Structure formats: C-alpha cells, structure tokens
Amino acid sequence: MCGIVGYIGKKNAVDVIYCGLEKLEYRGYDSAGIAVIDNKKIQRRRSIGKLKNLQENIKTNSIYGNIGIGHTRWATHGKPSQENAHPHTDCNEKIVVVHNGIIENYIELKKSLQNEGHKFSSQTDTEVIAHLIEKYYKNDLLVAVKLALKDIRGSYAICAICKEDKSRIVVARKDAPLVIGVALGEKYIASDVSALLQYTKDVIFLENGDVAEIKEDSIKIFDIDDNVVDRKSQKILWNAIQAEKCGYKHFMLKEIFEQAQTTQDTFRGRISDELNKIILESIKLTKKEILSISRICIVACGTSYHAGLISKFLFEKFTEIPTEVNIASEFRYCSPVIDDKVLTIFISQSGETADTLAALRLARGKKSKTIAICNVVGSSISREANYTLYTHCGPEIGVASTKAFTGQLTALYLLVMYIASIKEVISNEQLANFISGLRDIPNKISETLKLSSQIEEIAKLFQNTKQFIYLARNINYPIALEGALKLKEISYIYAEGYPAGEMKHGPIALIDETMPVMVIATNSKVYEKVLSNIEEAKARGAKIIAIANKSNNDIVKNSDYQIFVPEVDDFFSPLINVIPLQFFAYFVSVMKGCDVDQPRNLAKSVTVE
Ligand code: F6R
C-alpha cells in the first residue's frame, strides 16, 4: 500500500509533506522518510516505525527546502528498516524517488543494473527505479523517468526529484493512485486527497499510465501513449475523515471494495504465462524437501483459519498431500505429531497473533519446515517462520477481516499450485488453466462488487433478525463459517455456519420461520445436494437467501431471495462467494447502528493468549 506525498512551492516542503504523511499513515506505518532539495543537495531523513520517530529525527537533524517528497511505508519487498525506508536514491544521490506499488521484474532489473556498476543499498524493489532514472538521465528528469518506466513491469505511483533541477517534480502512476493538488504558485502530490485537503480542494486525478511534470506554476500531463493531455481539476467536498476512507463511510466497506486490486497485488509477479510457471521466490524449499513432505498441517485463528480450511480441499486435491487444519489456540495444547517431514503453514494477517506465534514456535521446536502467510511485513510470525509468503494487501484497518482473507486465499492457491507443479502431479494444461483462471479473478470480483446495492436491499429485510444459519458444502463450507463470523462480529447477531449435509443430524431442529438461512448454492458437484438441503429448511418455514449463479434455474423457486454472482470454476468460487456475505454483514451492522470498524470486545491484533 504505502502513502506518498510531494510538494513544490514557496512553503517549507518538510512541514507540508509531514502533515500530508500524517493523513496517509493509515496506508502504512512501518517506516517513513522525507527528502528535499536544498542548495543543490538532496537532504534526506528516514526513520523506522511510526511517523513520530521521523518527526524526532527531523527535530534533531533539521532539513529545509521548497521542493520535496515523502513516504510512509507498508513493506512489501525488504523488511521494515531504515535502509529500506523511502525515499531511495541512485548511486550519486542525485535523484531521489518515492514509490507505492510493486515492481514485478525488479530482480532482473537489479541484476542488470548491478552488472552495469550500480550500487544498491536496500532490499526494496523501489531502488531499481532510482538507478534506472540515473542510467537514463541526460539533464532531463522527465525524459529519464519516461525511459525508466519503459523497463518496469508492475504497479507504481512514483514521485522523483533531481538535485540539479529544483524547478520540477516528475510523477507517474499505473495501478496505484496519485492525485495532484492545485493551488496558485504551488502544487501538492499525494496518494489520496486526504493529504491535500488542508491545502487545497482542487485536485487532478491522474489516470493509469499518466506521467506528469509538475512545476510551481504549471502541470504538464502525458498519457500512456505519450500525448500531452488536459486532465480537468475537480473540487473535493469531502471532510478529512471521509477522505482518509476515500469517501467510503467505513474502512471495512473501502476494504471490501479494494479486493479486485488486492487479490491482483497478491499474485502480481508470481505467475508467468510465458513460462507457465508459478514463481514464489521467498519459498526456498528444494524439490527434494517438497517431495519428502508427508503431511501438511495448517494453523491459524478466526478468519485466517477459514482460509486454511479452504486450502485443505486444494492441497489434498492438487498436491496429493494429506492436510489438516488446526485452530492455533487448540493446537498448542494438544500433542501434535510433527517431525521434519511435516510442512506447517501459519496464516495470520497481522503476523502477531499470540496463539499462532506460539504454535509456530512449537512446530519449529519439532523440526517442522514452516511457512507463514502474512500481510504485515516484518511481523513476528513472518520473521520466525522459515519462509514467508506475503499477501501484499496493504494495511487492513477495519477489525473484521475482508481483503486480507481473499489475499490469504490467493496466496494459498499459489502455494498449492507451486507445490503441485514441483511435485509434477498436475499437468501443464491444468497449470495453464489455473493461471488464466486466477488472472481473471479480479474481473470477477469487480463484477461481484456491483451487487452491493442489491445486497443492501436484502439486508434491510433482515436487520432485526436475532439469529441466522449459514449453509454450504464442500469447498464453500468454510465460506459459510466466514459469513457467519462476519455477521456475529460486526452486527452482534447470533449466526452459525454449518455444512449443509450435517443439518439433519441435529441443527435442523432450530429451523422455523424465525431462523433465516443464507445458503451458498453456486454451481459445483454438490449443487443438487445443496438444493435438497435448501428444501429441507424451506419446508420448516425458514426464509432462504441463496448465493447462486444465473444458470441455476431451480434456485428461483427454491429460495426467497437470490444473489447471483459471476460464474467461476468451483475451485475459485470461495473468492467470489465470500463477497456478498461481507457486504451483507456490513449493511446489517450499519443499519443496526453498530460500530462497524471497531466492534465491541474485539481488537485487530490479538497479541495475548
Ligand atoms: C475476523 C478476524 C479475526 C482474525 C483472527 C486472526 O474478522 O479478523 O478472526 O482473523 O483474530 O488474526 P490474524 O490473521 O491477524 O492472525
């Protein structure tokens, strides 16, 4: 995620940038930095941790300039540290850059730049941008940035300045946001408008592929085909809090809507169509080690545990390795049978959950090979596991996990197919189908997000319900658990998730007209079975809300309300089916007047047992 800010004008850029970064701290907070040009020199200050550490640093080592850039970091490549904090410079500290996004081909670029003699001082993907600009710089920063961008694959919002030319900032964006704040004799740049509002309400939203040259008195924008374009400025009427949430009422809603982007960020750079390959550089298990895995043992809590449950279906089907899934708080107090042939996988958004961390230590003590799937780079679990696969979803602020869950699922899909391909138990054709299916998921998620108002209408009808049952089967059963958890935690309605086929063994006794049933009935090998389970509930008076596909004709007569989601392979369906359930919980919570982002009794990171 990360937040970037830039300023050019008559004010002290350090103050302006710092105030902007404060507003963007929600986008990342593991380190921060500011660079300005003063007397033809780049002055740079960077600090690890929260922004106030940077403030202390600047208080003791003050800097000043009328042009500058700043960054608050959410680590993706390279742990949170001072040398990995932005801004990054080239070899000669002539050019300085801040970046939000992921450079997919940074390893190859870095190797070739190193062969050409460039010296790197961080482990970030961003630093290659500074060196590329240096390589192409011939007294014109704009030209150098444009040439550098031609070499880059991935997503970026960047701001670059050069000590030899303090009259301009060059910025560019692709698949990461960037706005320009317009005012007389000065210009502001930021990842989102929240950082600009205290200075100006007039902003220009750059479009994908735009490059812009920004001076005190002018802005020149080039589109993706290098034509000069006129992007009109808009007046922003949001207040500061609305702006931080990009106009959404709650962080949870914003995070639900981010999922098309965040799932893409999770697989970005990790799949190759040309090579028909999954590339997980951080997982350094050898082929011999992978072939020797006798069992996979997954450990997590809450929503992360549900992601683990889904992956069990996938690991067993595609890697042919027996897989079990454990709740971390239970795992650590039973007697897990684990040795060096068992691969243990720990899933945690925060990477700090005490029970998951304790379980990881237990597994390591038993010589198991450990993989962490985490969102927060540099977190305890990510540091202590042998290997970590990051989800790259950006900070999740809403307590109820949404985008981190779909990020975890995406990372697990990659890991499953990676292990299966190394074991050579899937064909090239299966792998190619998987890769093209995964590439299409962000589009399918975008389509699903369009259902929000329909789901809001259905939520209105159920806002006063006291209880709910969520049913599904097979790979979507954990989605029933997840949907029920979302409803419980943010709207305080008692909800249970059940495997639909298990109803007749007891829970069906609960069903009457006061117990609505949410059921996942998308196309799959168990669709017919789910239909029968719906009929059993309907016959006992329950109102049925079905998540289904348009091609399921029977569902209209069997259910009271239908939410038609786009059709995907059953294998990927959890990634889609969870979204209506997130929306449903969200809207019910809002209608009940609950505190959506900070539900009672809950914390974002559970660092106690
Ligand atoms: C539910 C939720 C929690 C977390 C759980 C584990 O919406 O957010 O159930 O999933 O506390 O947290 P992490 O993933 O940080 O280990």
Side-chain angles (χ1 to χ4, degrees):
M1 189 97 150
C2 305
I4 64 182
V5 182
Y7 174 76
I8 181 163
K10 301 278 183 293
K11 297 190 181 109
N12 180 3
V14 180
D15 297 340
V16 175
I17 292 167
Y18 186 83
C19 289
L21 292 179
E22 274 184 323
K23 298 285 181 299
L24 296 183
E25 206 173 8
Y26 78 93
R27 297 177 65 90
Y29 35 76
D30 63 49
S31 55
I34 294 179
V36 290
I37 304 174
D38 186 22
N39 269 336
K40 292 208 161 198
K41 266 184 82 180
I42 297 230
Q43 299 283 1
R44 181 170 58 145
R45 300 287 179 268
R46 298 179 294 169
S47 297
I48 188 162
K50 294 254 181 188
L51 254 183
K52 58 179 182 345
N53 297 346
L54 178 66
Q55 191 178 38
E56 288 305 314
N57 182 348
I58 292 173
K59 253 190 213 156
T60 37
N61 303 288
S62 73
I63 48 174
Y64 179 87
N66 302 119
I67 170 171
I69 54 179
H71 188 273
T72 177
R73 181 167 186 248
W74 177 260
T76 55
H77 296 78
K79 63 178 195 274
S81 65
Q82 183 152 332
E83 58 285 4
N84 287 335
H86 299 216
H88 288 288
T89 64
D90 62 333
C91 302
N92 299 306
E93 299 206 358
K94 185 159 74 182
I95 284 143
V96 67
V97 174
V98 287
H99 163 228
N100 166 30
I102 296 171
I103 306 301
E104 289 176 15
N105 57 339
Y106 85 100
I107 293 186
E108 51 203 83
L109 288 173
K110 186 168 177 174
K111 270 190 204 137
S112 87
L113 285 161
Q114 279 171 328
N115 289 341
E116 290 167 22
H118 290 261
K119 297 271 175 295
F120 281 76
S121 57
S122 78
Q123 292 106 46
T124 63
D125 52 341
T126 302
E127 200 184 340
V128 298
I129 306 174
H131 291 276
L132 277 174
I133 299 174
E134 174 183 34
K135 170 176 163 176
Y136 292 118
Y137 183 79
K138 303 234 163 24
N139 294 322
D140 190 332
L141 183 63
L142 178 64
V143 172
V145 169
K146 284 183 183 177
L147 289 171
L149 293 178
K150 282 194 197 314
D151 291 352
I152 285 170
R153 243 187 12 247
S155 63
Y156 52 78
I158 61 165
C159 292
I161 52 178
C162 171
K163 71 174 185 183
E164 290 176 355
D165 182 359
K166 60 180 201 170
S167 72
R168 57 183 170 169
I169 303 180
V170 176
V171 306
R173 73 153 289 218
K174 181 174 160 276
D175 297 337
L178 202 63
V179 288
I180 303 171
V182 186
L184 200 63
E186 55 184 358
K187 303 289 171 281
Y188 304 84
I189 302 135
S191 295
D192 69 49
V193 289
S194 59
L196 310 176
L197 284 181
Q198 57 195 317
Y199 303 109
T200 177
K201 303 261 184 230
D202 294 316
V203 306
I204 297 173
F205 290 93
L206 289 182
E207 290 188 11
N208 239 4
D210 281 355
V211 177
E213 179 188 59
I214 300 171
K215 299 184 172 178
E216 276 179 18
D217 295 312
S218 67
I219 299 169
K220 193 168 180 186
I221 303 175
F222 302 83
D223 69 6
I224 200 159
D225 300 316
D226 207 21
N227 301 313
V228 176
V229 282
D230 183 19
R231 305 246 182 263
K232 296 272 174 273
S233 76
Q234 304 177 26
K235 251 213 192 326
I236 296 294
L237 302 171
W238 295 340
N239 63 33
I241 291 168
Q242 284 170 319
E244 218 175 51
K245 294 175 186 152
C246 296
Y248 291 105
K249 201 164 166 206
H250 296 98
F251 279 111
M252 182 181 175
L253 188 62
K254 172 174 172 279
E255 287 157 5
I256 293 175
F257 273 104
E258 278 172 356
Q259 291 176 104
Q261 180 67 50
T262 48
T263 47
Q264 187 166 16
D265 287 343
T266 306
F267 67 69
R268 195 185 281 288
R270 289 168 167 168
I271 51 181
S272 159
D273 303 85
E274 302 94 69
L275 303 175
N276 195 26
K277 219 175 150 187
I278 294 161
I279 305 148
L280 299 183
E281 262 155 9
S282 61
I283 309 296
K284 300 201 187 311
L285 288 168
T286 61
K287 181 165 183 174
K288 193 165 162 228
E289 283 172 325
I290 288 180
L291 288 174
S292 75
I293 297 170
S294 63
R295 191 157 44 93
I296 293 175
C297 176
I298 298 173
V299 187
C301 301
T303 289
S304 302
Y305 168 71
H306 297 155
L309 286 177
I310 291 166
S311 73
K312 172 183 162 69
F313 289 87
L314 307 170
F315 277 115
E316 293 190 334
K317 178 168 172 169
F318 293 101
T319 69
E320 299 173 5
I321 304 173
T323 302
E324 61 182 74
V325 192
N326 298 272
I327 290 175
S329 53
E330 291 296 320
F331 177 84
R332 56 185 295 200
Y333 293 111
C334 56
S335 314
V337 182
I338 284 182
D339 57 27
D340 62 344
K341 301 274 176 295
V342 175
L343 172 68
T344 40
I345 302 176
F346 299 84
I347 310 171
S348 175
Q349 185 286 130
S350 61
E352 300 295 347
T353 300
D355 286 317
T356 313
L357 181 58
L360 164 64
R361 289 176 180 158
L362 181 82
R364 287 208 66 172
K366 288 177 181 281
K367 308 262 180 307
S368 167
K369 293 178 186 66
T370 56
I371 294 181
I373 295 187
C374 290
N375 194 34
V376 180
V377 176
S379 54
S380 305
I381 292 172
S382 68
R383 278 186 280 116
E384 293 194 25
N386 297 121
Y387 313 108
T388 299
L389 192 55
Y390 287 113
T391 49
H392 297 328
C393 292
E396 193 177 59
I397 313 280
V399 163
S401 191
T402 53
K403 64 174 179 173
F405 175 70
T406 43
Q408 289 165 346
L409 280 182
T410 307
L412 285 160
Y413 282 112
L414 291 170
L415 187 59
V416 167
M417 294 317 253
Y418 178 74
I419 293 179
S421 59
I422 293 197
K423 278 190 77 186
E424 296 176 34
V425 287
I426 51 164
S427 64
N428 283 341
E429 195 190 343
Q430 275 176 304
L431 194 55
N433 286 342
F434 165 77
I435 289 177
S436 77
L438 188 59
R439 278 215 188 281
D440 201 28
I441 286 296
N443 296 331
K444 300 288 187 198
I445 291 180
S446 298
E447 270 182 62
T448 314
L449 294 171
K450 292 185 190 144
L451 299 170
S452 74
S453 6
Q454 189 211 339
I455 299 166
E456 186 172 8
E457 289 308 308
I458 298 176
K460 272 186 198 152
L461 307 172
F462 290 94
Q463 55 180 305
N464 297 319
T465 303
K466 299 273 176 288
Q467 50 188 358
F468 238 103
I469 283 192
Y470 285 64
L471 298 180
R473 294 181 84 130
N474 203 250
I475 196 167
N476 278 296
Y477 156 54
I479 295 297
L481 297 179
E482 177 59 9
L485 175 61
K486 290 286 92 94
L487 192 68
K488 279 186 270 210
E489 67 180 328
I490 60 170
S491 72
Y492 319 140
I493 292 175
Y494 185 72
E496 280 286 356
Y498 264 100
E502 182 67 9
M503 288 296 287
K504 54 186 167 297
H505 299 289
I508 201 162
L510 289 168
I511 299 225
D512 61 17
E513 50 294 334
T514 68
M515 178 72 86
V517 175
M518 177 78 81
V519 57
I520 299 174
T522 44
N523 274 329
S524 72
K525 61 179 181 209
V526 291
Y527 171 67
E528 303 285 332
K529 311 258 174 228
V530 174
L531 269 192
S532 312
N533 301 133
I534 293 177
E535 277 175 21
E536 288 157 13
K538 198 157 174 50
R540 286 157 182 87
K543 284 265 176 287
I544 311 285
I545 311 171
I547 315 281
N549 299 130
K550 278 228 165 76
S551 56
N552 312 139
N553 298 325
D554 320 298
I555 208 76
V556 178
K557 64 174 188 309
N558 284 347
S559 57
D560 298 278
Y561 307 96
Q562 302 85 35
I563 300 167
F564 289 119
V565 292
E567 196 149 353
V568 291
D569 189 321
D570 186 32
F571 165 73
F572 286 122
S573 62
L575 276 169
I576 302 299
N577 294 342
V578 73
I579 291 171
L581 305 187
Q582 295 170 343
F583 273 133
F584 184 76
Y586 170 78
F587 288 122
V588 171
S589 172
V590 172
M591 287 165 200
K592 289 189 71 181
C594 303
D595 187 343
V596 175
D597 283 335
Q598 287 174 336
R600 69 187 182 201
N601 309 338
L602 291 175
K604 187 69 192 156
S605 178
V606 186
T607 52
V608 290
E609 231 195 285

